Amino acid sequence: MALDSNNKRVFKVVGTRPPRPDGIEKVTGRALYGADVSAPGMLVGRILRSPHAHAAILSIDTSAAEALAGVKAVITAQDFAVQDDSALRDVQENCMARGKVLYDGHAVAAVAALTPAIAKAALKLIKVTYKALPHVTDVDVAMRPDAPVVQAGRSFENVPAGMAENVTSQCEFGHGDLAAGFAAAALIVERSFTTAAVHQGYIEPQACLASMTADGKADLWCCTQGQYHVRALCAALLGMEASQLRVTASEIGGGFGGKTTVFIEPVALALSRKSGKPVKIVMTRDEVFKATGPTVSSSIDVKIGMTKDGRITAGEAHLRYSGGAFHCGTIDMGAQAAFAAYDLQAVRTLGWNVLTNRPKEVAYRAPGAPQAIYAVESVVDELCQKLGLDPLDVRLKNAARKGTKSSYGPTFDDIGLMATLEAAKAHPHYTAPLAPGQGRGLSAGFWFNFGGNTCVSLNINTDGTVGITEGNPDIGGSRAAISQMAAEELGIPYEKVRTIIADTSSLGHNDITDGSRVTFAVGLATIKAAQDAIQKMCARVATLWEIDAEAVVWEDGCAKPSGPNAGQFPPMTLAEIAAISFNTGGPIAGHHEFNADGAGVSFGVHLVDVEVDRETGATKVLRYTVFQDAGKAVHPSYVEGQMQGGAVQGIGWALNEEYIYGEDGRLQNAGFLDYRVPVASDLPNIETVILEIPNPGHPYGVRGVGETPIVPPLAALSNAVSRAIGLRMNRLPMSPPRILAALSAKR
Amino acid sequence: MVAVTIWGSLRAFTDGRAQVEVEARNFKELLDVLAQTYPGLKPQITRGVSLALDGRIYREAWFTKIRSDSEVVLMPYMAGG
Amino acid sequence: MKTIHVATEVNGDNVEFVCAPDESLLDVLRNRLGLTGVKEGCGTGDCGACSVTLNGRLVCSCLVLGAEVEGATIGTIEGMARADVLHPLQQSFIDHAALQCGICTPGILVAAKALLDKNPDPTDTELRYWLAGNLCRCTGYDKIIHAVQDAAKKMRTV
């Protein structure tokens, strides 16, 4: 799509900060989340989970559980058909183990009963005979030839012969002559890094209510980022057709990528089918940590060469990711993102996905990018320190810009990296003095963003108000932004527009709320739906005025004659046109369905000051500033919210959060006490600076912003801590015991 | 004819070539021709690929027009969170 | 298991319920009394999403037994607004965009009000430490602190 001249226009509604439509429900506790709804005759569902990291299931005897008074259904994997498609098979086997359990907490059976107490007692009566197998939880150990095999025969054709059976895929990206590049370097730094798996940490555990009737139709209420995707997966797993299953997305208590698949929904549907009653399942926090989808854990080697004056001559990375016990494609994203911020003559990334006895990975904001960029930005920082160069100047010198051939292949169009770097350099934070024991770190970061399949229906009510129906759960304030864009395009006040989120029966398919796509793609569809409605309103008015349709234009919320030759008619407002719609042809609506492309990448730079307590190893975050290119910030408060929220998630990832496995392969810290996320007293204010380099692919210039902010914090924190203590850190999280160990090793 | 950039781990199936020339007017034709000419690419194409055309990424749009002077880069199918 | 009959006061209303001996106040509020504003984030007192006041004191309702509240006074998020007039804290959260998904919001509002009832003019540090028992994963806490301080200022000038 060509750059729309609208990019230069003065916006009236877009760029302002109106109140969000779901605000009052949420501050009064009236909003309905996944666990807040019940149905008459409802049963309680509970799931039995493996205590072993890896074991064969020799037998499951459910007879005693079935016989318990108040138990209405018991299911195992036998209640699900075997899927032909390997990706669907993985989803099904992750929801309920078939033949083998692959991680501590893997589901093996489920019950539906009259009360929680009976369900709990029933689980205890299910007899599972396991044969424990050797397990592996470390990504590097899992790549050794003698490692226990998590699943056999899962390697893709791109894995060279001779690699361990746990390696499921290999990928490679890059261009140029690496040998020549390194030969031209004044200094080469080679470092290895590891990052632990972390969890998205959404405060709302998964919850759903499934109601299937004997004719095979079902209703499913669940907290999800994508009700259409849930419908597709559940329909496949339950052998249903899409039209038979209506999925409604509740308000969602956080997702961040973690609620883009199914865990308990097919189980609840199967229990409902078997019992003939609605079944509600709510996960406990312990289950959420053990059996939903944390990130990959990673082990990464990076080698970068730089000239004396800071030009990167070559960059190479080897990345080993483990997405748990099932194949995971996140390595592709990480290997592409690693050097994306740089204009390089010679670059190469080589990546592998490796199976381990851990839960199946799901995305956490920008999947794969934080780990890879953490490693690359740490080495760039070390080179800057050793060569005595300013880290921002070095980024500016090597930054990708319009016309740069990216490290993952395509040539960049307009991007905001230079602008964010320059904004950081000009900001007082960058030159504020530091006290002894304090360190400052920075990192650039990036995410691809995408568009995707979208449907929007825009209906003009006879009183001149507008109802928009879209299909994407609101995780960041998108309903407000959608209403703003419609109001802008139609030329009416924001207060006249109400946007709601449809269930799967009320609107055509919409891709998941992910990929930072909603404000971009749903916004774009809304603009087009508004233009569609405008065209129809102009046609009605043309008929009324008895002139040609081309002679009517839309301006400031009114239909007007296009010029003096068209005739002398006073403008007709949207409300006036709507009021007579029944007489002029019927209800007026605009709609748009498409697969959106042209999403713009979003670059960010983070600056952080820290102080490390050498006695306790604790790191205090003193000051934090986020710079990010939003293209066009439709609702600046919500853009700021994404920047601040993602930054703090990254702070937790860098300083404290990790999945800790014991020798027995079991997760040791499956709760918020020992899985330590940032709390209010850990943090300073998070300052935000929004840049706006318009995305040529959107009429208002919008870029997705939600994922990028989690990418820079890891290296920014690591660089700050490393400079504060005078030691390069290469392992995340940099928890107090690790920092103390590093300090005492130095002595 | 248009030049298509193939990412590193797929080059094993294009006789080591980082760029191949194919006759294709849109994304679908491109995928069909690639799968036919280089059968080793078929599994990845089946799993999913995206197309970057002059810097813009198209996840799966078959009828995206390709010109002979377009920059065409094959990429893994994009996923987000 | 024998159930226990309890009479108590919630948000100024006299209520009665029966519960199992091991049932938490959180479960009672949500499942017996239909007050779903209080949320279970963890069930172990680590996240604060279930915050209520019990006899004027801020507690995690997942750590209180239903049977314990006989004759007590309980305050939940549902009691914060007066009919259709929001409490200044609630209005401030909307004005400052201090919520995204909103799941932690009821707990944080109850906790913030409990602080301001005792200390109408807290420093940012005092406020941050008071709210350390309420996890938020979406906002990074920044706008929450601004919203509470702005509400506190408005409440002090009334």
Short mmCIF file of all heavy atoms in Angstrom, two decimals, chain A residues 1 156-158 170-174 257 332-333 336 363 365 408 410-411 447-448 450 453 514-515 595 597-598 707, chain B residues 5 7-9 11 13 40 43-44 47 52 54-61 71 73 75-81:
data_model
loop_
_atom_site.label_atom_id
_atom_site.label_comp_id
_atom_site.label_asym_id
_atom_site.label_seq_id
_atom_site.Cartn_x
_atom_site.Cartn_y
_atom_site.Cartn_z
N MET A 1 0.87 -1.21 0.00
CA MET A 1 0.00 0.00 0.00
C MET A 1 0.89 1.24 0.00
O MET A 1 1.84 1.32 0.74
CB MET A 1 -0.87 -0.05 1.26
CG MET A 1 -1.73 1.15 1.43
SD MET A 1 -2.34 1.30 3.11
CE MET A 1 -3.27 -0.19 3.25
N PHE A 156 13.74 -32.79 11.95
CA PHE A 156 13.39 -32.37 10.60
C PHE A 156 14.50 -32.71 9.63
O PHE A 156 15.62 -33.04 10.03
CB PHE A 156 13.15 -30.85 10.55
CG PHE A 156 11.91 -30.40 11.25
CD1 PHE A 156 11.76 -29.08 11.64
CD2 PHE A 156 10.87 -31.28 11.54
CE1 PHE A 156 10.61 -28.65 12.29
CE2 PHE A 156 9.72 -30.86 12.20
CZ PHE A 156 9.60 -29.53 12.57
N GLU A 157 14.20 -32.54 8.33
CA GLU A 157 15.17 -32.88 7.30
C GLU A 157 16.38 -31.95 7.32
O GLU A 157 17.40 -32.26 6.72
CB GLU A 157 14.48 -32.82 5.92
CG GLU A 157 14.27 -31.44 5.33
CD GLU A 157 13.25 -30.56 6.08
OE1 GLU A 157 12.50 -31.09 6.91
OE2 GLU A 157 13.24 -29.33 5.82
N ASN A 158 16.27 -30.82 8.01
CA ASN A 158 17.37 -29.86 8.01
C ASN A 158 18.41 -30.15 9.09
O ASN A 158 19.37 -29.40 9.25
CB ASN A 158 16.84 -28.42 8.14
CG ASN A 158 15.90 -28.25 9.32
OD1 ASN A 158 16.05 -28.90 10.34
ND2 ASN A 158 14.90 -27.39 9.16
N GLN A 170 17.45 -27.45 12.61
CA GLN A 170 18.62 -26.59 12.49
C GLN A 170 18.27 -25.47 11.53
O GLN A 170 17.54 -25.68 10.55
CB GLN A 170 19.82 -27.39 11.95
CG GLN A 170 21.04 -26.52 11.65
CD GLN A 170 22.27 -27.32 11.28
OE1 GLN A 170 22.70 -28.19 12.02
NE2 GLN A 170 22.84 -27.02 10.12
N CYS A 171 18.74 -24.25 11.81
CA CYS A 171 18.48 -23.14 10.89
C CYS A 171 19.74 -22.29 10.77
O CYS A 171 20.61 -22.33 11.64
CB CYS A 171 17.31 -22.28 11.35
SG CYS A 171 17.60 -21.47 12.92
N GLU A 172 19.82 -21.54 9.69
CA GLU A 172 20.99 -20.70 9.47
C GLU A 172 20.57 -19.47 8.68
O GLU A 172 19.78 -19.57 7.73
CB GLU A 172 22.05 -21.48 8.68
CG GLU A 172 23.35 -20.70 8.51
CD GLU A 172 24.34 -21.42 7.60
OE1 GLU A 172 24.25 -22.66 7.50
OE2 GLU A 172 25.17 -20.73 7.00
N PHE A 173 21.10 -18.33 9.07
CA PHE A 173 20.80 -17.06 8.36
C PHE A 173 22.07 -16.25 8.24
O PHE A 173 23.02 -16.45 8.99
CB PHE A 173 19.73 -16.25 9.13
CG PHE A 173 18.47 -17.00 9.38
CD1 PHE A 173 18.29 -17.72 10.56
CD2 PHE A 173 17.46 -17.02 8.43
CE1 PHE A 173 17.13 -18.44 10.78
CE2 PHE A 173 16.29 -17.74 8.65
CZ PHE A 173 16.13 -18.46 9.83
N GLY A 174 22.05 -15.34 7.29
CA GLY A 174 23.19 -14.41 7.20
C GLY A 174 23.73 -14.29 5.80
O GLY A 174 23.22 -14.89 4.86
N GLY A 257 1.49 -13.62 25.36
CA GLY A 257 1.91 -14.71 24.47
C GLY A 257 1.63 -16.07 25.07
O GLY A 257 1.54 -17.06 24.36
N ASP A 332 14.06 -20.20 15.06
CA ASP A 332 14.07 -19.46 13.80
C ASP A 332 13.97 -17.96 14.05
O ASP A 332 14.66 -17.16 13.41
CB ASP A 332 12.89 -19.88 12.91
CG ASP A 332 13.04 -21.29 12.36
OD1 ASP A 332 14.15 -21.84 12.40
OD2 ASP A 332 12.03 -21.84 11.88
N MET A 333 13.09 -17.57 14.98
CA MET A 333 12.90 -16.15 15.25
C MET A 333 14.13 -15.57 15.94
O MET A 333 14.61 -14.50 15.60
CB MET A 333 11.66 -15.92 16.13
CG MET A 333 10.38 -16.53 15.60
SD MET A 333 9.99 -16.16 13.87
CE MET A 333 9.60 -14.44 13.98
N GLN A 336 17.10 -15.13 13.61
CA GLN A 336 16.92 -14.01 12.68
C GLN A 336 17.06 -12.67 13.38
O GLN A 336 17.54 -11.69 12.81
CB GLN A 336 15.54 -14.08 12.01
CG GLN A 336 15.40 -15.23 11.04
CD GLN A 336 14.01 -15.25 10.45
OE1 GLN A 336 13.77 -14.70 9.39
NE2 GLN A 336 13.10 -15.89 11.13
N ALA A 363 5.05 -18.58 23.48
CA ALA A 363 5.70 -17.27 23.32
C ALA A 363 5.60 -16.41 24.58
O ALA A 363 4.65 -16.51 25.35
CB ALA A 363 5.03 -16.54 22.16
N ARG A 365 5.99 -12.44 24.82
CA ARG A 365 6.24 -11.27 23.98
C ARG A 365 7.06 -11.70 22.76
O ARG A 365 6.68 -12.61 22.06
CB ARG A 365 6.85 -10.12 24.78
CG ARG A 365 5.78 -9.42 25.65
CD ARG A 365 6.24 -8.20 26.34
NE ARG A 365 5.34 -7.09 26.20
CZ ARG A 365 4.66 -6.52 27.21
NH1 ARG A 365 4.78 -6.98 28.43
NH2 ARG A 365 3.87 -5.49 26.98
N TYR A 408 18.78 -10.90 8.50
CA TYR A 408 17.92 -12.04 8.21
C TYR A 408 17.41 -12.03 6.78
O TYR A 408 16.58 -12.85 6.40
CB TYR A 408 16.76 -12.15 9.21
CG TYR A 408 15.89 -10.93 9.33
CD1 TYR A 408 14.69 -10.83 8.62
CD2 TYR A 408 16.22 -9.89 10.18
CE1 TYR A 408 13.88 -9.72 8.73
CE2 TYR A 408 15.42 -8.78 10.30
CZ TYR A 408 14.24 -8.70 9.58
OH TYR A 408 13.44 -7.59 9.69
N PRO A 410 15.83 -9.52 4.23
CA PRO A 410 15.21 -8.42 3.51
C PRO A 410 15.91 -7.07 3.75
O PRO A 410 16.56 -6.88 4.76
CB PRO A 410 13.79 -8.36 4.08
CG PRO A 410 13.61 -9.62 4.83
CD PRO A 410 14.95 -10.12 5.21
N THR A 411 15.71 -6.15 2.79
CA THR A 411 16.27 -4.81 2.95
C THR A 411 15.26 -3.95 3.70
O THR A 411 14.08 -3.93 3.38
CB THR A 411 16.54 -4.20 1.56
OG1 THR A 411 17.46 -5.06 0.87
CG2 THR A 411 17.13 -2.80 1.66
N TRP A 447 11.61 -6.03 17.16
CA TRP A 447 10.72 -7.15 16.85
C TRP A 447 10.09 -6.91 15.49
O TRP A 447 9.84 -5.76 15.09
CB TRP A 447 9.66 -7.38 17.92
CG TRP A 447 8.89 -8.62 17.66
CD1 TRP A 447 7.57 -8.73 17.30
CD2 TRP A 447 9.41 -9.98 17.64
NE1 TRP A 447 7.23 -10.04 17.08
CE2 TRP A 447 8.34 -10.83 17.28
CE3 TRP A 447 10.66 -10.55 17.90
CZ2 TRP A 447 8.49 -12.22 17.20
CZ3 TRP A 447 10.80 -11.92 17.81
CH2 TRP A 447 9.72 -12.74 17.47
N PHE A 448 9.80 -8.04 14.81
CA PHE A 448 9.31 -7.98 13.44
C PHE A 448 7.92 -7.39 13.34
O PHE A 448 7.60 -6.66 12.42
CB PHE A 448 9.25 -9.40 12.83
CG PHE A 448 10.54 -10.17 12.95
CD1 PHE A 448 10.81 -10.93 14.05
CD2 PHE A 448 11.48 -10.12 11.92
CE1 PHE A 448 12.00 -11.65 14.15
CE2 PHE A 448 12.66 -10.83 12.01
CZ PHE A 448 12.92 -11.60 13.13
N PHE A 450 3.69 -8.34 12.95
CA PHE A 450 3.02 -8.75 11.71
C PHE A 450 1.56 -8.35 11.72
O PHE A 450 1.08 -7.71 12.64
CB PHE A 450 3.21 -10.24 11.42
CG PHE A 450 3.02 -11.18 12.55
CD1 PHE A 450 1.77 -11.59 12.95
CD2 PHE A 450 4.12 -11.72 13.22
CE1 PHE A 450 1.59 -12.49 13.98
CE2 PHE A 450 3.96 -12.63 14.25
CZ PHE A 450 2.70 -13.02 14.63
N ASN A 453 -4.82 -12.24 9.60
CA ASN A 453 -6.23 -12.35 9.19
C ASN A 453 -7.14 -11.62 10.15
O ASN A 453 -7.07 -11.83 11.36
CB ASN A 453 -6.62 -13.83 9.11
CG ASN A 453 -5.83 -14.55 8.05
OD1 ASN A 453 -6.03 -14.32 6.86
ND2 ASN A 453 -4.90 -15.39 8.47
N ASP A 514 -1.57 -11.33 18.98
CA ASP A 514 -0.15 -11.56 19.20
C ASP A 514 0.61 -10.82 18.12
O ASP A 514 -0.01 -10.11 17.32
CB ASP A 514 0.18 -13.06 19.19
CG ASP A 514 0.05 -13.71 17.81
OD1 ASP A 514 -0.44 -13.06 16.87
OD2 ASP A 514 0.42 -14.89 17.68
N GLY A 515 1.89 -10.96 18.10
CA GLY A 515 2.67 -10.32 17.04
C GLY A 515 2.51 -8.81 17.00
O GLY A 515 2.79 -8.20 15.96
N ASN A 595 -6.20 -10.29 4.96
CA ASN A 595 -5.00 -10.80 5.60
C ASN A 595 -3.99 -9.65 5.51
O ASN A 595 -3.42 -9.41 4.46
CB ASN A 595 -4.50 -12.04 4.87
CG ASN A 595 -3.42 -12.76 5.66
OD1 ASN A 595 -2.86 -12.23 6.61
ND2 ASN A 595 -3.15 -13.99 5.27
N ASP A 597 -0.92 -7.26 5.55
CA ASP A 597 0.54 -7.27 5.47
C ASP A 597 1.03 -5.85 5.65
O ASP A 597 0.24 -4.93 5.74
CB ASP A 597 0.98 -7.83 4.11
CG ASP A 597 0.75 -9.31 4.02
OD1 ASP A 597 1.25 -10.04 4.89
OD2 ASP A 597 0.07 -9.76 3.07
N GLY A 598 2.32 -5.67 5.70
CA GLY A 598 2.87 -4.31 5.79
C GLY A 598 3.06 -3.83 7.21
O GLY A 598 3.21 -2.63 7.45
N GLU A 707 5.62 -6.02 21.75
CA GLU A 707 6.63 -7.05 22.03
C GLU A 707 8.03 -6.51 22.21
O GLU A 707 8.80 -7.01 23.05
CB GLU A 707 6.61 -8.09 20.90
CG GLU A 707 5.34 -8.91 20.91
CD GLU A 707 5.21 -9.76 19.66
OE1 GLU A 707 4.90 -9.19 18.59
OE2 GLU A 707 5.44 -10.97 19.76
N THR B 5 16.26 -15.06 -2.57
CA THR B 5 17.28 -15.36 -1.57
C THR B 5 16.79 -16.49 -0.68
O THR B 5 15.69 -16.42 -0.13
CB THR B 5 17.60 -14.12 -0.72
OG1 THR B 5 18.01 -13.06 -1.58
CG2 THR B 5 18.70 -14.41 0.28
N TRP B 7 17.45 -18.88 2.70
CA TRP B 7 18.23 -18.77 3.93
C TRP B 7 19.16 -19.96 4.12
O TRP B 7 18.96 -21.02 3.55
CB TRP B 7 17.32 -18.51 5.14
CG TRP B 7 16.56 -19.63 5.75
CD1 TRP B 7 17.02 -20.57 6.62
CD2 TRP B 7 15.15 -19.90 5.59
NE1 TRP B 7 16.01 -21.40 7.00
CE2 TRP B 7 14.85 -21.01 6.40
CE3 TRP B 7 14.11 -19.30 4.86
CZ2 TRP B 7 13.56 -21.55 6.49
CZ3 TRP B 7 12.84 -19.82 4.96
CH2 TRP B 7 12.57 -20.96 5.76
N GLY B 8 20.15 -19.72 4.97
CA GLY B 8 21.32 -20.59 5.05
C GLY B 8 21.04 -22.07 5.15
O GLY B 8 21.62 -22.89 4.41
N SER B 9 20.14 -22.46 6.07
CA SER B 9 19.97 -23.90 6.28
C SER B 9 19.19 -24.58 5.16
O SER B 9 19.13 -25.79 5.09
CB SER B 9 19.30 -24.15 7.62
OG SER B 9 18.40 -23.12 7.92
N ARG B 11 20.01 -23.95 1.98
CA ARG B 11 20.88 -23.97 0.81
C ARG B 11 21.38 -25.37 0.50
O ARG B 11 21.79 -25.65 -0.63
CB ARG B 11 22.05 -23.00 1.00
CG ARG B 11 21.58 -21.56 1.02
CD ARG B 11 22.65 -20.58 1.42
NE ARG B 11 22.03 -19.31 1.81
CZ ARG B 11 22.63 -18.36 2.51
NH1 ARG B 11 23.88 -18.52 2.89
NH2 ARG B 11 21.99 -17.24 2.82
N PHE B 13 19.61 -27.72 0.01
CA PHE B 13 18.67 -28.28 -0.96
C PHE B 13 18.65 -27.52 -2.28
O PHE B 13 17.89 -27.88 -3.19
CB PHE B 13 17.26 -28.33 -0.34
CG PHE B 13 17.23 -29.01 1.00
CD1 PHE B 13 16.95 -28.30 2.15
CD2 PHE B 13 17.53 -30.37 1.12
CE1 PHE B 13 16.94 -28.92 3.40
CE2 PHE B 13 17.53 -30.99 2.35
CZ PHE B 13 17.24 -30.27 3.49
N GLY B 40 13.88 -30.85 -2.16
CA GLY B 40 14.34 -30.82 -0.77
C GLY B 40 13.74 -29.68 0.03
O GLY B 40 13.73 -29.71 1.26
N PRO B 43 9.53 -29.99 2.45
CA PRO B 43 9.09 -30.08 3.86
C PRO B 43 9.00 -28.70 4.54
O PRO B 43 8.04 -28.43 5.26
CB PRO B 43 10.17 -30.94 4.51
CG PRO B 43 10.73 -31.74 3.40
CD PRO B 43 10.69 -30.86 2.19
N GLN B 44 9.99 -27.83 4.29
CA GLN B 44 9.95 -26.52 4.92
C GLN B 44 8.79 -25.70 4.36
O GLN B 44 8.10 -25.00 5.10
CB GLN B 44 11.26 -25.76 4.70
CG GLN B 44 11.27 -24.37 5.31
CD GLN B 44 11.17 -24.39 6.82
OE1 GLN B 44 11.96 -25.02 7.50
NE2 GLN B 44 10.17 -23.70 7.35
N ARG B 47 5.75 -26.82 6.02
CA ARG B 47 5.66 -26.33 7.40
C ARG B 47 5.29 -24.85 7.43
O ARG B 47 4.63 -24.40 8.34
CB ARG B 47 7.00 -26.51 8.12
CG ARG B 47 7.28 -27.92 8.60
CD ARG B 47 8.43 -27.94 9.61
NE ARG B 47 9.70 -27.49 9.05
CZ ARG B 47 10.55 -28.31 8.45
NH1 ARG B 47 10.28 -29.58 8.29
NH2 ARG B 47 11.70 -27.83 7.98
N ALA B 52 9.50 -11.98 2.07
CA ALA B 52 9.77 -10.56 2.21
C ALA B 52 9.97 -10.01 0.81
O ALA B 52 10.86 -10.44 0.08
CB ALA B 52 11.01 -10.34 3.06
N ASP B 54 10.66 -6.69 -1.32
CA ASP B 54 11.14 -5.30 -1.21
C ASP B 54 11.05 -4.81 0.24
O ASP B 54 10.61 -3.70 0.51
CB ASP B 54 10.36 -4.38 -2.15
CG ASP B 54 10.56 -4.76 -3.61
OD1 ASP B 54 11.71 -5.07 -3.98
OD2 ASP B 54 9.58 -4.78 -4.38
N GLY B 55 11.44 -5.65 1.16
CA GLY B 55 11.51 -5.28 2.56
C GLY B 55 10.23 -5.48 3.34
O GLY B 55 10.21 -5.35 4.56
N ARG B 56 9.14 -5.77 2.65
CA ARG B 56 7.86 -5.93 3.35
C ARG B 56 7.56 -7.42 3.48
O ARG B 56 7.67 -8.15 2.52
CB ARG B 56 6.77 -5.24 2.56
CG ARG B 56 5.77 -4.56 3.44
CD ARG B 56 4.88 -3.71 2.61
NE ARG B 56 3.53 -4.24 2.68
CZ ARG B 56 2.44 -3.53 2.45
NH1 ARG B 56 2.53 -2.28 2.10
NH2 ARG B 56 1.27 -4.09 2.54
N ILE B 57 7.13 -7.82 4.69
CA ILE B 57 6.92 -9.24 4.91
C ILE B 57 5.48 -9.62 4.67
O ILE B 57 4.55 -8.99 5.18
CB ILE B 57 7.33 -9.62 6.36
CG1 ILE B 57 8.83 -9.34 6.54
CG2 ILE B 57 7.03 -11.08 6.64
CD1 ILE B 57 9.34 -9.60 7.93
N TYR B 58 5.27 -10.65 3.86
CA TYR B 58 3.95 -11.23 3.60
C TYR B 58 3.95 -12.62 4.20
O TYR B 58 4.75 -13.46 3.82
CB TYR B 58 3.68 -11.30 2.09
CG TYR B 58 3.61 -9.93 1.46
CD1 TYR B 58 4.77 -9.28 1.04
CD2 TYR B 58 2.39 -9.27 1.31
CE1 TYR B 58 4.70 -8.00 0.49
CE2 TYR B 58 2.32 -8.01 0.76
CZ TYR B 58 3.48 -7.38 0.36
OH TYR B 58 3.42 -6.13 -0.18
N ARG B 59 3.04 -12.83 5.15
CA ARG B 59 3.10 -14.12 5.82
C ARG B 59 2.65 -15.27 4.93
O ARG B 59 3.26 -16.33 4.94
CB ARG B 59 2.20 -14.10 7.06
CG ARG B 59 2.94 -13.69 8.30
CD ARG B 59 1.96 -13.53 9.41
NE ARG B 59 2.15 -14.53 10.43
CZ ARG B 59 1.29 -14.77 11.41
NH1 ARG B 59 0.17 -14.09 11.48
NH2 ARG B 59 1.54 -15.68 12.33
N GLU B 60 1.58 -15.09 4.18
CA GLU B 60 1.05 -16.23 3.45
C GLU B 60 0.21 -15.85 2.23
O GLU B 60 -0.48 -16.69 1.70
CB GLU B 60 0.18 -17.07 4.39
CG GLU B 60 -1.00 -16.29 4.95
CD GLU B 60 -1.54 -16.85 6.27
OE1 GLU B 60 -1.35 -18.04 6.51
OE2 GLU B 60 -2.15 -16.08 7.02
N ALA B 61 0.31 -14.59 1.77
CA ALA B 61 -0.61 -14.12 0.72
C ALA B 61 -0.18 -14.61 -0.66
O ALA B 61 0.75 -14.10 -1.26
CB ALA B 61 -0.66 -12.59 0.76
N GLU B 71 13.02 -7.43 -4.81
CA GLU B 71 13.89 -8.17 -3.89
C GLU B 71 13.02 -9.20 -3.22
O GLU B 71 12.05 -8.85 -2.52
CB GLU B 71 14.49 -7.24 -2.84
CG GLU B 71 15.34 -8.00 -1.81
CD GLU B 71 15.59 -7.23 -0.52
OE1 GLU B 71 14.63 -7.06 0.26
OE2 GLU B 71 16.73 -6.82 -0.31
N VAL B 73 12.90 -12.42 -0.63
CA VAL B 73 13.63 -13.19 0.38
C VAL B 73 12.67 -14.15 1.05
O VAL B 73 11.61 -13.75 1.54
CB VAL B 73 14.23 -12.25 1.46
CG1 VAL B 73 14.99 -13.06 2.51
CG2 VAL B 73 15.14 -11.20 0.83
N MET B 75 11.54 -16.45 4.06
CA MET B 75 11.77 -16.44 5.51
C MET B 75 10.92 -17.52 6.15
O MET B 75 9.88 -17.88 5.60
CB MET B 75 11.35 -15.09 6.10
CG MET B 75 12.22 -13.94 5.67
SD MET B 75 11.54 -12.38 6.25
CE MET B 75 11.65 -12.60 8.02
N PRO B 76 11.30 -17.99 7.33
CA PRO B 76 10.42 -18.92 8.03
C PRO B 76 9.09 -18.22 8.35
O PRO B 76 9.05 -17.00 8.47
CB PRO B 76 11.17 -19.24 9.33
CG PRO B 76 12.58 -18.83 9.08
CD PRO B 76 12.53 -17.73 8.08
N TYR B 77 8.04 -19.00 8.47
CA TYR B 77 6.74 -18.43 8.80
C TYR B 77 6.81 -17.71 10.15
O TYR B 77 7.28 -18.26 11.13
CB TYR B 77 5.70 -19.56 8.85
CG TYR B 77 4.29 -19.09 8.97
CD1 TYR B 77 3.64 -18.47 7.90
CD2 TYR B 77 3.59 -19.25 10.16
CE1 TYR B 77 2.33 -18.02 8.01
CE2 TYR B 77 2.29 -18.81 10.28
CZ TYR B 77 1.66 -18.20 9.21
OH TYR B 77 0.37 -17.76 9.33
N MET B 78 6.34 -16.45 10.16
CA MET B 78 6.50 -15.63 11.35
C MET B 78 5.55 -16.03 12.47
O MET B 78 4.39 -16.33 12.22
CB MET B 78 6.18 -14.17 11.00
CG MET B 78 6.90 -13.66 9.80
SD MET B 78 7.69 -12.14 10.20
CE MET B 78 9.00 -12.79 11.14
N ALA B 79 6.04 -15.99 13.69
CA ALA B 79 5.20 -16.26 14.85
C ALA B 79 5.49 -15.21 15.91
O ALA B 79 6.60 -14.71 16.00
CB ALA B 79 5.48 -17.65 15.41
N GLY B 80 4.49 -14.87 16.69
CA GLY B 80 4.69 -13.84 17.72
C GLY B 80 4.05 -14.24 19.04
O GLY B 80 3.61 -15.36 19.19
N GLY B 81 3.96 -13.28 19.95
CA GLY B 81 3.40 -13.60 21.26
C GLY B 81 2.84 -12.40 21.98
O GLY B 81 2.57 -11.40 21.41
#
